[in-house]
Each structure stands twice: as structure tokens, then as C-alpha cells.
Amino acid sequence: MAIERTLILCKPDAVSRGLVGDIISRLERRGYLLIAMKLMQLDGERARAHYAEHKDRPFFGDLVSFITSGPLVAMCVEGESAVDGCRQLIGATNPLSADVGTIRADFAQTIGRNLVHGSDSKASAERELAIFFDASEHVSRKHDLERWLKDS
Ligand code: IDP
Ligand code: MG
């Protein structure tokens, strides 16, 4: 077993379209545990740090202005292989390539408004979680995790 933590963002389009509940619900139904969560508006500095790997891509400017354009919901999610599992639930970057049943295929139309972010590796998750949360903001779900492990 590999219990992992990952960063999930309901991006500003998800907040403004009222889809935060549906997105969280899909994560919870899978059994993932919320460890931290906040509604916030990202500043440019943190947005550029979060998306640093894309800094030379032509869409970087639009990406930073969009992610800072309104409130988002940031979450730390924990579970078995949570990094890959959440990416599976979220679906491919372009909603047109995402499998039906994933968040992006079911709720989104375009790559620039694809609703959700999920870290793409354990190393990215660690780096990105530190941008959004202090260690003290993570709560313990030890008992829920133990029960979940016992039942699975
Ligand atoms: P991911 O969110 O599936 O990990 P990344 O390749 O890391 O995808 O890209 C980060 C975000 O940048 C995407 O979620 C998407 O919103 C945006 N993006 C990626 N590629 C393009 C593009 O070609 N045009 C416009 N926006 C893009
Ligand atoms: Mg990515």
C-alpha cells in the first residue's frame, strides 16, 4: 500500500459554475480523505510558482491570469495511490480526450477551462502542497484512514 497526499484545485471556473460540490463528491465517493481545504484567491507570484514548469509555454500568461481571476478551492487529498487515482478521476487535460465519467469529460468543454488541477507525481504534490498549505493546516484523518484500510 502507498498512502499518498496530493493537491487538488477546483479552479475559478469550477467555483463560478457552482461545481465544487460535485467535484468534492466524486473524490469522497472514491474514498479519498480531505486533509486540508480552503477557498482563496491566488496571487500572481504563487500562481507562477505553481505553474513554473509551463513558464515558457505560449499559454502561460493566460493560465496565470485565469487561475488568479477569481476564488479557487485548494484541497489536500489523501488515499491509496492518491496522485494517480485523482488524475484518473479528473481525466485528460483536454476534455475532448478525457474518458466519459471523468470530471473533465462530464463537466468541461475546453483545455483552458478544464475545472480541476491534480498534481502529476508525488514530487509535484509535495512541491505544490507547500505553495498552498502550511503543515499546520493539515488535519489528521488517522482513524478514518485506519478504518478504510481495515475494510479494504
Ligand atoms: P494538467 O492540468 O492536466 O496537469 P498541464 O499540461 O500541467 O495539464 O497544464 C496545466 C494547465 O494548463 C491545464 O490544466 C490547462 O488548463 C492549461 N493548458 C495546458 N495546455 C494548454 C494549451 O495548449 N492551451 C491552453 N491551456 C493549456
Ligand atoms: Mg499539470
Side-chain angles (χ1 to χ4, degrees), residues 5-129:
R5 290 181 174 187
T6 189
L7 176 76
I8 302 296
L9 302 177
C10 297
K11 302 193 214 178
D13 48 344
V15 175
S16 73
R17 289 180 57 199
L19 291 171
V20 171
D22 286 288
I23 292 165
I24 292 175
S25 171
R26 286 176 179 228
L27 299 169
E28 289 189 321
R29 281 192 328 211
R30 181 78 173 262
Y32 295 130
L33 300 172
L34 282 171
I35 297 297
M37 179 162 70
K38 65 171 93 162
L39 178 70
M40 62 188 288
Q41 189 150 355
L42 205 58
D43 60 40
E45 190 181 338
R46 279 207 276 188
R48 284 188 290 276
H50 172 66
Y51 281 127
E53 66 175 302
H54 300 302
K55 67 177 169 34
D56 298 324
R57 308 284 288 278
F59 58 84
F60 184 67
D62 287 344
L63 186 58
V64 169
S65 37
F66 176 63
I67 202 77
T68 58
S69 66
L72 56 74
V73 173
M75 291 174 264
C76 175
V77 169
E78 183 178 76
E80 168 65 30
S81 303
V83 170
D84 287 347
C86 287
R87 295 272 295 185
Q88 183 187 37
L89 283 183
I90 291 167
T93 307
N94 186 339
L96 284 175
S97 308
D99 291 334
V100 171
T102 63
I103 295 166
R104 285 170 171 167
D106 290 357
F107 298 133
Q109 295 180 39
T110 63
I111 198 166
R113 296 291 182 275
N114 61 6
L115 298 170
V116 194
H117 169 83
S119 308
D120 64 7
S121 67
K122 276 182 71 172
S124 301
E126 209 165 299
R127 185 186 77 79
E128 294 170 0
L129 281 166

